[in-house]
Amino acid sequence: MTYTKEQIIQEVKENNVEFLLLEFTDMYGDTKNVELPAEELEMVLANEAMFDSSSISGFSDIQESDMYLVPDLDTFLLLPSLVDEDRSARFICDIYKPDGTPFEGDPRYILKRAMKEAEEMGYTVNVGPEPEFFLFKLDKDGYPIREMNDRGGYFDASPKDKGDKVRRDIVRTLKKFGFEMEASHHEVAMGQHEINFRFDNMLKTADNIQTFKNVVKDIATNHDYHATFMPKPIAGENGSGMHAHLSLFKDGDSAFYDEDAKDGVSKTMKQFIAGILHHARAIAAITNPNVNSYKRLVPGYEAPVSIAWSHSNRSCMVRVPTTRGQGTRFEVRNPDPTANPYLTLAVLIQAGLEGIRNEYDAGEAESRNLYEVEDDSVPTLPTNLKEALSALKKDEVLLKALGDHTANAYIEDKEDEWTQYSLQVSKWEIDKYMNK
């Protein structure tokens, strides 16, 4: 819904709103917020809400810490979970510097910049995400323990599926937030769940992913569970992904569909896919952003390993579903739900657009089960965070997509994360090597 300032003032007054939540996202994809009393609404709408950004990861130094939270009026929302208690309303905000220019390290701004490049080429992009999550039990003090909420499997029903009531409450809440829901079900792994919502433009989708994560965690807590988006919380089980379905439109029609092509897939779509495959190893540093991400990207657990595309082969990084016409799209299968959605979509669109500009060739669709291919004829995704960061540091297209500020801060921080991980000694190592 599109709001004017006058409509928002009226909504706040008529609904006796007491508090305003100004939300934004840090470099890692974590949602942050500042809460103000509703009496400050006019100041907020005048773009005068200031905050100290020096303690926010990847933002600014202490000597230049003042930033402004500029609300996106279209994200105004009366929070349904609090409507009968402390009446609150939410804005998702962009971050601006004191001189009135956008902060180059704001993930939302980075995505907007990518969307603008697509628009300049005549394209609009829609995205449908599929974020998965696990439910774990809590101890008597309310802290998560390593015990899943059930032993159910793919599409299992109650009583095997003990998360159905949690998922239903999540769906109900998201509908109150304005989401168009599609489906929810138990996933393959024990205690693993998936809830799908309808595609939208890239910015709205990234905003929705952030809202989705917050709602999932809140509702899970209400049911005495802990929801985690950690990619691989349990060894030997499937991990959680966040598959992204992308569709491209030009002049209102699908730029990915070609009724004269044998497979119905346009040359533009194959070039877009080729751009993503060309930059896949560097993209992984953003779409699979932590040490644990790469414990999901291993053969045999439905996560992709090979940098290839197919029509139905789920061992490939990119898969093209059978739908044609306006619904023609492809699915990028390697992202996981710990990724910053704004940065993830920004690097995917920038890589794809470069593929179109330079007429990259995606090659033939792969039909083999690439988990069983033992030679090195098909390139593979990085096996760890260090490899991905090394690829990112050499990728000029992605570095430009992120901007100098975010690229430098992100790489420095993630390299430090890898160093910290490398210094640890795990139980597996003790068991394996202590008696050598």
Side-chain angles (χ1 to χ4, degrees):
M1 182 174 179
T2 299
Y3 285 98
T4 65
K5 292 181 180 180
E6 292 73 22
Q7 288 173 325
I8 291 172
I9 292 171
Q10 184 177 352
E11 287 276 339
V12 167
K13 183 177 180 180
E14 289 180 353
N15 289 279
N16 297 316
V17 171
E18 294 183 78
F19 301 100
L20 306 172
L21 297 181
L22 307 185
E23 290 186 359
F24 62 99
T25 297
D26 71 9
M27 182 175 69
Y28 301 130
D30 291 332
T31 300
K32 305 291 183 181
N33 74 69
V34 177
E35 184 176 278
L36 301 177
E39 290 77 12
E40 298 294 335
L41 178 59
E42 291 194 15
M43 180 269 290
V44 170
L45 295 178
N47 302 333
E48 295 176 353
M50 184 178 287
F51 76 109
D52 178 3
S53 66
S54 62
S55 295
I56 305 297
S57 299
F59 275 24
S60 58
D61 297 326
I62 196 166
Q63 68 270 21
E64 48 184 21
S65 60
D66 290 339
M67 295 281 184
Y68 286 90
L69 293 172
V70 175
D72 182 335
L73 302 189
D74 293 343
T75 66
F76 171 76
L77 181 71
L78 295 171
L79 294 181
S81 61
L82 304 175
V83 74
D84 294 324
E85 300 173 13
D86 300 328
R87 298 203 168 209
S88 302
R90 178 214 71 178
F91 292 98
I92 295 175
C93 298
D94 297 306
I95 301 171
Y96 277 71
K97 296 186 290 187
D99 64 6
T101 60
F103 171 50
E104 60 272 21
D106 177 11
R108 209 165 184 263
Y109 169 70
I110 291 170
L111 177 55
K112 283 184 173 182
R113 195 170 57 204
M115 292 173 65
K116 184 178 179 181
E117 289 205 24
E119 290 167 4
E120 289 173 350
M121 293 176 65
Y123 298 116
T124 57
V125 189
N126 286 335
V127 183
E130 296 178 348
E132 299 166 338
F133 59 94
F134 281 84
L135 292 176
F136 283 84
K137 294 182 178 180
L138 303 175
D139 65 18
K140 60 182 178 62
D141 296 317
Y143 293 100
I145 58 176
R146 288 176 60 81
E147 183 177 349
M148 287 85 78
N149 79 304
D150 64 27
R151 296 292 185 270
Y154 196 52
F155 277 23
D156 269 346
S158 179
K160 286 185 178 180
D161 172 15
K162 298 185 183 302
D164 54 347
K165 292 182 180 179
V166 183
R167 295 197 307 271
R168 287 170 188 163
D169 276 357
I170 291 170
V171 168
R172 289 188 188 104
T173 303
L174 290 172
K175 287 171 71 175
K176 292 178 182 178
F177 274 75
F179 280 61
E180 294 184 54
M181 307 307 299
E182 293 192 337
S184 71
H185 59 87
H186 199 289
E187 257 296 342
V188 173
M190 296 183 292
Q192 188 184 32
H193 307 269
E194 180 175 320
I195 299 174
N196 297 329
F197 50 92
R198 187 172 172 79
F199 69 86
D200 214 314
N201 69 65
M202 299 188 83
L203 186 64
K204 183 67 179 295
T205 295
D207 288 343
N208 282 344
I209 290 171
Q210 296 299 80
T211 299
F212 173 86
K213 290 181 181 180
N214 293 333
V215 169
V216 167
K217 286 185 171 290
D218 284 345
I219 299 300
T221 301
N222 292 343
H223 285 264
D224 295 323
Y225 291 127
H226 172 73
T228 180
F229 293 97
M230 183 178 179
K232 189 82 166 184
I234 301 295
E237 293 280 355
N238 281 19
S240 288
M242 187 175 69
H243 306 155
H245 292 253
L246 278 73
S247 53
L248 196 70
F249 290 84
K250 191 166 190 175
D251 299 325
D253 291 321
S254 172
F256 282 170
Y257 175 58
D258 183 354
E259 63 180 353
D260 296 325
K262 183 178 180 180
D263 58 2
V265 173
S266 71
K267 183 178 179 180
T268 298
M269 181 173 180
K270 292 178 180 178
Q271 291 171 345
F272 198 105
I273 290 173
I276 289 176
L277 298 180
H278 182 78
H279 295 279
R281 290 180 63 83
I283 286 172
I286 304 300
T287 57
N288 307 92
N290 58 60
V291 167
N292 184 257
S293 297
Y294 297 86
K295 298 188 176 183
R296 168 181 164 257
L297 299 179
V298 294
Y301 293 94
E302 295 196 10
V305 175
S306 301
I307 301 173
W309 76 282
S310 73
H311 287 292
S312 60
N313 185 349
R314 295 174 187 269
S315 67
C316 295
M317 176 183 169
V318 173
R319 182 182 75 91
V320 180
T322 57
T323 304
R324 292 296 180 266
Q326 293 291 80
T328 307
R329 66 190 189 276
F330 67 85
E331 173 191 39
V332 185
R333 295 180 54 78
N334 65 302
D336 69 58
T338 58
N340 184 320
Y342 301 99
L343 301 185
T344 291
L345 298 181
V347 296
L348 288 175
I349 187 67
Q350 294 282 25
L353 292 177
E354 197 215 13
I356 294 175
R357 290 190 197 99
N358 295 311
E359 300 183 350
Y360 284 171
D361 182 5
E364 294 299 317
E366 186 60 70
S367 60
R368 297 174 293 172
N369 180 353
L370 297 179
Y371 295 143
E372 298 176 353
V373 174
E374 297 182 355
D375 58 40
D376 58 357
S377 60
V378 180
T380 59
L381 289 164
T383 59
N384 58 53
L385 181 60
K386 181 177 177 60
E387 288 182 17
L389 292 171
S390 296
L392 178 59
K393 288 195 290 186
K394 300 172 186 175
D395 194 307
E396 293 183 3
V397 171
L398 263 62
L399 294 175
K400 182 181 177 182
L402 295 172
D404 290 341
H405 179 97
T406 296
N408 292 335
Y410 187 90
I411 291 170
E412 180 181 357
D413 200 85
K414 288 298 176 179
E415 286 184 329
D416 183 62
E417 179 179 331
W418 175 257
T419 298
Q420 293 177 40
Y421 169 72
S422 300
L423 293 173
Q424 304 304 309
V425 179
S426 67
K427 183 180 182 302
W428 183 91
E429 292 169 276
I430 295 295
D431 294 342
K432 180 75 174 176
Y433 304 120
M434 181 64 83
N435 292 322
K436 287 289 184 182

